[in-house]
Amino acid sequence: MKFFIDTANLAQIKEAQELGILDGVTTNPSLMAKEGIKGKGPVLKHYVDICNIVDGDVSAEVISTDYEGMVKEGEELAALHDQIVVKIPMIKEGIKAIKYFSNKGIRTNCTLVFSAGQALLAAKAGATYVSPFIGRLDDVSTDGLALIEDIRLIFDNYGYETEILAASIRHPMHIIECAKIGADVMTGPLSAIIALAKHPLTDTGLATFLEDAKKFA
Ligand code: G3P
């Protein structure tokens, strides 16, 4: 399972990268705004800064909603760095844009996916990644993990190579359940990744080992 971090915060990206388990980064306009980045130049520079920290894929989202605009923006983003994956919303125009980029060999991440039908369309258009937002579905009393299961089944039925990127991860159990289902990638906050390492029996066991070690030091 690939681990992506879902943030535009450079300090957190560095911290995750230093753990040695980071495979990529996903961003979105809200995450970029949260870092106070304003204006086209600084935004593009920020994507390059992220690429220079991590080795893997970095999703950069278009903000146009028409086909021509998405193509223009996506080409500009893709030209920034070979690690950039163009993130495109699951709307009608977005499907056309994903197909365009797929034909050109430019990688895409289809975002804002909330149904199996949307995921199927993204795969048919040739998306590299499809991003179902499981936390936001849970927020409206709908089973986000059930969607991951449905998409896994559909993609396996037909051998689609599009990777399932479980997004809107909120806590470590989301990551574990997605791994059990067979999501290809998860993207989540650093806190959820770090939480995977925690167990009270590890802490008390280590405290005992260190105490006992003093007896023969
Ligand atoms: O990158 C998109 C997605 O992960 C959003 O997560 O927490 O805003 O629902 P969240």
Side-chain angles (χ1 to χ4, degrees), residues 5-7 26-31 59 61 87 109 111-112 114 131-137 139 165-170 187-189:
I5 188 170
D6 195 29
T7 184
T26 50
T27 64
N28 62 41
S30 305
L31 293 170
S59 287
E61 189 160 342
K87 205 171 180 187
N109 173 358
T111 190
L112 289 166
F114 293 95
S131 288
F133 279 26
I134 63 176
R136 291 193 194 184
L137 281 169
D139 288 345
L165 196 170
S168 188
I169 294 270
R170 298 283 163 76
T187 190

Side-chain angles (χ1 to χ4, degrees), residues 73-105:
E73 243 189 281
E75 285 187 329
E76 202 170 354
L77 289 169
L80 281 177
H81 200 284
D82 59 11
Q83 286 168 240
I84 292 285
V85 174
V86 181
K87 205 171 180 187
I88 306 221
M90 171 35 76
I91 53 177
K92 198 171 135 202
E93 295 288 289
I95 298 163
K96 283 162 60 182
I98 290 167
K99 185 67 187 173
Y100 170 85
F101 287 122
S102 168
N103 286 342
K104 284 197 78 177

Side-chain angles (χ1 to χ4, degrees), residues 9 20 75 99-100 105 117 119 129 142 153 172 210:
N9 182 282
E75 285 187 329
K99 185 67 187 173
Y100 170 85
Y129 298 103
T142 303
L153 176 68
L210 294 179

